[in-house]
Amino acid sequence: MTQAEKEQDNGKEKEKERDKEKEKEQQRGVKRPIAPPAIPDPLQEQIQSNFIIVIHPGSRTLRIGRATDTLPIILPHVIARRHKQTGQPKYEDAWLLRDGLNKTESNEQRQNGLKMVEQAIWSKKMSNGVRRTPVSAEQARSYNCQIRPAVLDSSYRVKWTNTAHQPPHLVGEEAVYVNPSDCYNIHWPIVRGQLNVHAGPGGSLTAVLADLETIWSHVIQKQLEIPLKDLKYYRCILLVPDIYNRPHIKEVVNMLLLNMGFSAIIVHQESVSATFGSGCSSACVVDVGDQKTSLCCVEDGVSHRNSRLCLAYGGSDVTRTFFWLLQRAGFPYRDCQLSSRLDCQLLQHLKDTFCHLNQDISGLKDHEFQTRFPEAPALLYQVRLGDEKLQASMGLFYPTTFGIVGQKMTSLQYRSQGDSEDPHDEHYLLATQSKQDQSSKSAADRKGISRPGGGLDGEMSAQGGIGEPSDLGRGCGSGGSGAGGMKGETEYGTAQGECLMGAGELEEPPSAHLSRKTAIMSQFESKALGLDKAILHSIDCCASDETKRKMYSSILVVGGGLMFPGAQEFLLHRIINKMPPSFRRLVDNVEVITRPKDMDPRLISWKGGAVLACLDTTQEMWIHQREWQRFGVRMLRERAAFVW
């Protein structure tokens, strides 16, 4: 008998044994699972990453590119629009200037902040165990006041943008270098992470959206070389701030799908994208941008809603403070003005070049810098600086140094205000949930009354419900953020980590609850937390000690606002010194990551969006153009990877 015949016989014997087992099971009455009918899976269209465009809009910089690109296109997020009528007054959005700087208390606050910074510098010893010798601004001033610039060879001249052909708009670098005498308005469509809606010219929501559409369309056409008529073959991933403005996001998605014509879109949060880009599964993401600093704890691709915090300061505030310190030290370029676009660009460059957070660098040092402006010779300046380079950077930890008065400095994630297009939103869910709670409570009360002494039991159960006022003091560790925007969701209270129960959950007169909540919130929002305190506050609002331990062991710093030499060690030292003593025993290793995989921290979130485009799990998150036309903002609640 051949080997093949033997195998055939063995197969027949096994089949007979299986048939016998089935007969025995039927005799014993054992039910076998019914095999489901073979239904072919719907064919998923193969998505090509080179047909996905990732857009990460920032307050000062736009990053945009195909998901397959190694690096995105990076350009200033600015547009210059030509006047429609001659003699129209010029308008220009501020770059480094902002509201709250010209108050009577501003200078006093700035001086108080500087005193705290000087005290902190003196109190921390250098690595050799010696305390730093403070350097007064007067020592540098006496030298700098005598400096006169040297004229350089002007063969390479910076030129104003050529506007002879009168283009209706200019974008990016061309907009920055528009001659102030030309008839153009300058607009930065995003400020502090939100759409720059204001009362001035070009400040309406419609105008801001038109600016965004023009800038993005220009880059896609000119630099990505994609004709706008072909966008129907492309998809888009839009990265939005952790604390987002729902109506604004809705309008931007509407613009991308219906006006620009993308076939589908995914909206995702910057913090979660940063974890994808850095390869960290969980991290406390600290995004220090040019105009805002946002913090959020991300665990396994989910942003903890209670931990989100947005501070209304960033790298541009450090630049402005550095300019103030330079002036105290007799800055030799005396014509420098914060109202000038090119001077602002120079000051940003000086901050990036000179500022640091290394406390071992002390004493007076000589530096040099060049000024190259159109219609002026290139000049070389000498400047002598002491502690100014460290003091300006430390403003992120002592934000009173920025001298901002009467402004909202801290933003938190508010409940949705509701949308007429989405009737079954979280307000609907809360209302139906509360009706169910009331009906179940009244049923329990009726049962209690039927028992002896039941009335007392009914009272006690009513007082000890979820909305008990004593819940206010339990802190943010209630773990309610995972409930999909329903019961248990909280909003922040004081800076110490207390939480306010969500609207509709407290059993007290709504007006009293609202006034108390408003008072606490306004007190909290007027405070400018230092970066280290904000990190501790964000981690403290996580639900469990295990999550907090994870966050302390992975503090991920992204964005371009903290790219100072020595920043990693400086931040680590402050976090370890200020973290609760109970966690020092639990956390094995506090780690601050400032350059994951040696990548530019400014590109981490964009890179995460590109990674997201390639994941199989993102297939169900796409919102298609036809779906958006039919269902509108409801699709964001259904498909967004975060609680909308």
Side-chain angles (χ1 to χ4, degrees):
M1 187 183 284
T2 63
Q3 184 67 28
E5 289 171 340
K6 282 182 182 178
E7 288 178 359
Q8 196 172 357
D9 288 345
N10 288 339
K12 288 177 181 176
E13 286 174 13
K14 285 179 182 176
E15 277 184 31
K16 287 177 184 176
E17 286 174 9
R18 279 198 292 270
D19 291 340
K20 284 178 184 177
E21 284 177 9
K22 284 181 185 177
E23 287 173 13
K24 287 178 184 176
E25 286 176 355
Q26 286 172 359
Q27 289 169 6
R28 292 198 304 269
V30 177
K31 289 184 180 178
R32 295 182 63 79
I34 299 169
I39 301 173
D41 291 333
L43 290 172
Q44 278 194 341
E45 58 178 312
Q46 189 65 35
I47 297 172
Q48 296 174 302
S49 298
N50 59 325
F51 281 88
I52 297 175
I53 294 176
V54 182
I55 302 177
H56 183 198
S59 300
R60 280 291 168 262
T61 307
L62 171 66
R63 298 169 188 89
I64 183 171
R66 292 180 177 86
T68 50
D69 293 344
T70 309
L71 295 171
I73 303 291
I74 303 168
L75 72 158
H77 205 180
V78 61
I79 183 169
R81 285 199 179 274
R82 186 168 182 80
H83 292 171
K84 292 182 179 176
Q85 298 172 347
T86 55
Q88 199 174 323
K90 294 187 184 66
Y91 175 82
E92 188 167 329
D93 285 337
W95 186 329
L96 293 179
L97 291 170
R98 56 180 292 177
D99 291 336
L101 294 174
N102 297 323
K103 308 281 183 180
T104 50
E105 308 96 325
S106 291
N107 196 47
E108 183 185 349
Q109 187 166 304
R110 204 181 280 122
Q111 297 288 354
N112 289 339
L114 185 58
K115 284 177 187 173
M116 288 192 280
V117 167
E118 289 171 343
Q119 176 62 31
I121 292 172
W122 181 83
S123 62
K124 185 178 181 293
K125 293 180 180 178
M126 296 190 290
S127 57
N128 59 7
V130 178
R131 290 196 191 279
R132 285 172 60 98
T133 306
V135 180
S136 71
E138 286 302 320
Q139 292 175 267
R141 186 179 182 83
S142 56
Y143 173 84
N144 291 331
C145 286
Q146 302 169 13
I147 294 297
R148 294 291 176 269
V151 179
L152 298 174
D153 174 29
S154 296
S155 55
Y156 168 70
R157 272 273 181 103
V158 179
K159 294 180 181 177
W160 294 119
T161 302
N162 182 11
T163 57
H165 57 300
Q166 299 187 351
H169 59 259
L170 295 158
V171 166
E173 288 285 345
E174 286 186 333
V176 171
Y177 281 95
V178 165
N179 193 324
S181 63
D182 284 350
C183 302
Y184 283 84
N185 288 347
I186 310 295
H187 301 294
W188 299 87
I190 294 183
V191 62
R192 279 180 273 294
Q194 307 292 339
L195 296 188
N196 187 13
V197 178
H198 56 84
S204 68
L205 181 59
T206 309
V208 173
L209 289 167
D211 288 344
L212 285 180
E213 185 180 344
T214 305
I215 295 170
W216 298 355
S217 299
H218 176 89
V219 178
I220 289 168
Q221 264 188 306
K222 302 295 183 187
Q223 294 182 266
L224 294 180
E225 298 179 347
I226 301 169
L228 293 182
K229 62 182 175 59
D230 289 349
L231 286 184
K232 60 189 174 189
Y233 306 116
Y234 283 79
R235 298 177 176 221
C236 169
I237 291 182
L238 175 68
L239 303 184
V240 300
D242 305 321
I243 296 180
Y244 45 88
N245 183 312
R246 288 176 181 84
H248 288 184
I249 300 302
K250 170 187 162 185
E251 294 297 338
V252 173
V253 171
N254 202 58
M255 179 261 289
L256 286 164
L257 288 178
L258 304 187
N259 296 12
M260 292 180 70
F262 281 99
S263 64
I265 192 171
I266 286 177
V267 178
H268 219 319
Q269 291 168 299
E270 291 171 337
S271 61
V272 179
S273 296
T275 60
F276 284 133
S278 63
C280 301
S281 60
S282 300
C284 175
V285 181
V286 184
D287 184 351
V288 187
D290 183 78
Q291 298 204 351
K292 66 150 177 75
T293 299
S294 58
L295 301 98
C296 182
C297 293
V298 178
E299 189 174 20
D300 299 325
V302 177
S303 153
H304 284 287
R305 182 164 175 160
N306 283 350
S307 68
R308 293 179 204 160
L309 199 64
C310 183
L311 307 169
Y313 61 78
S316 62
D317 296 283
V318 175
T319 304
R320 194 181 56 253
T321 303
F322 187 46
F323 177 53
W324 171 62
L325 293 168
L326 286 173
Q327 286 180 311
R328 288 173 78 243
F331 190 42
Y333 171 39
R334 292 173 186 85
D335 294 333
C336 190
Q337 298 289 331
L338 290 178
S339 55
S340 162
R341 255 175 286 131
L342 302 189
D343 285 347
C344 287
Q345 203 171 31
L346 171 69
L347 290 170
Q348 293 268 41
H349 172 70
L350 294 182
K351 177 202 72 176
D352 295 340
T353 307
F354 297 149
C355 288
H356 63 85
L357 281 167
N358 186 347
Q359 293 208 262
D360 284 355
I361 300 174
S362 63
L364 289 169
K365 297 278 191 305
D366 289 342
H367 306 275
E368 59 182 36
F369 66 92
Q370 296 178 15
T371 60
R372 291 183 181 272
F373 299 128
E375 300 171 0
L379 302 176
L380 176 68
Y381 286 89
Q382 302 287 332
V383 61
R384 182 170 290 179
L385 297 173
D387 290 343
E388 291 83 10
K389 299 169 290 184
L390 176 59
Q391 290 166 343
S393 313
M394 285 183 68
L396 291 168
F397 301 89
Y398 297 92
T400 48
T401 316
F402 300 145
I404 303 161
V405 176
Q407 295 294 303
K408 181 178 174 180
M409 295 302 293
T410 307
S411 299
L412 311 162
Q413 186 72 66
Y414 284 101
R415 284 194 183 285
S416 166
Q417 296 299 306
D419 193 299
S420 56
E421 287 182 23
D422 188 11
H424 298 97
D425 60 6
E426 62 181 281
H427 292 277
Y428 168 82
L429 296 173
L430 277 170
T432 52
Q433 184 73 32
S434 107
K435 283 177 186 173
Q436 289 171 10
D437 289 348
Q438 286 171 9
S439 60
S440 61
K441 192 178 289 183
S442 59
D445 289 350
R446 283 196 296 275
K447 286 178 184 176
I449 291 167
S450 65
R451 298 195 308 271
L456 183 62
D457 290 344
E459 278 183 39
M460 291 300 286
S461 66
Q463 288 176 1
I466 190 168
E468 186 179 354
S470 62
D471 284 353
L472 283 173
R474 292 182 188 169
C476 292
S478 57
S481 61
M486 290 167 61
K487 201 183 340 180
E489 192 171 291
T490 53
E491 292 178 351
Y492 286 134
T494 65
Q496 282 68 36
E498 291 180 1
C499 289
L500 291 168
M501 300 304 289
E505 293 178 17
L506 284 176
E507 297 187 11
E508 63 173 291
S511 57
H513 171 226
L514 187 64
S515 60
R516 184 157 54 82
K517 185 170 80 168
T518 306
I520 296 174
M521 292 296 282
S522 60
Q523 180 190 4
F524 179 65
E525 290 178 338
S526 63
K527 288 184 179 178
L529 291 178
L531 191 57
D532 47 350
K533 289 181 181 176
I535 292 170
L536 295 169
H537 176 81
S538 180
I539 294 175
D540 189 48
C541 285
C542 290
S544 66
D545 285 355
E546 176 58 26
T547 304
K548 292 177 187 177
R549 190 184 65 77
K550 278 187 196 175
M551 297 304 137
Y552 277 118
S553 59
S554 182
I555 298 170
L556 175 65
V557 181
V558 296
L562 198 67
M563 292 176 62
F564 302 118
Q568 186 176 11
E569 298 79 8
F570 187 89
L571 183 55
L572 179 63
H573 175 265
R574 291 187 73 90
I575 294 293
I576 291 173
N577 276 3
K578 293 192 175 184
M579 67 188 289
S582 55
F583 275 99
R584 287 181 194 161
R585 296 190 296 273
L586 291 174
V587 180
D588 304 324
N589 182 32
V590 178
E591 187 175 4
V592 173
I593 306 160
T594 53
R595 291 189 75 90
K597 300 178 181 177
D598 286 330
M599 286 171 58
D600 186 336
R602 293 170 291 191
L603 304 182
I604 299 292
S605 292
W606 183 90
K607 201 71 180 172
V611 170
L612 185 73
C614 307
L615 298 177
D616 293 335
T617 51
T618 61
Q619 301 313 310
E620 59 199 35
M621 292 161 57
W622 289 106
I623 298 170
H624 295 269
Q625 188 187 81
R626 195 173 296 171
E627 292 173 322
W628 183 262
Q629 284 174 321
R630 185 175 175 189
F631 300 109
V633 76
R634 280 176 282 177
M635 294 308 301
L636 281 169
R637 180 164 53 80
E638 295 295 331
R639 299 274 173 86
F642 49 92
V643 178
W644 174 253

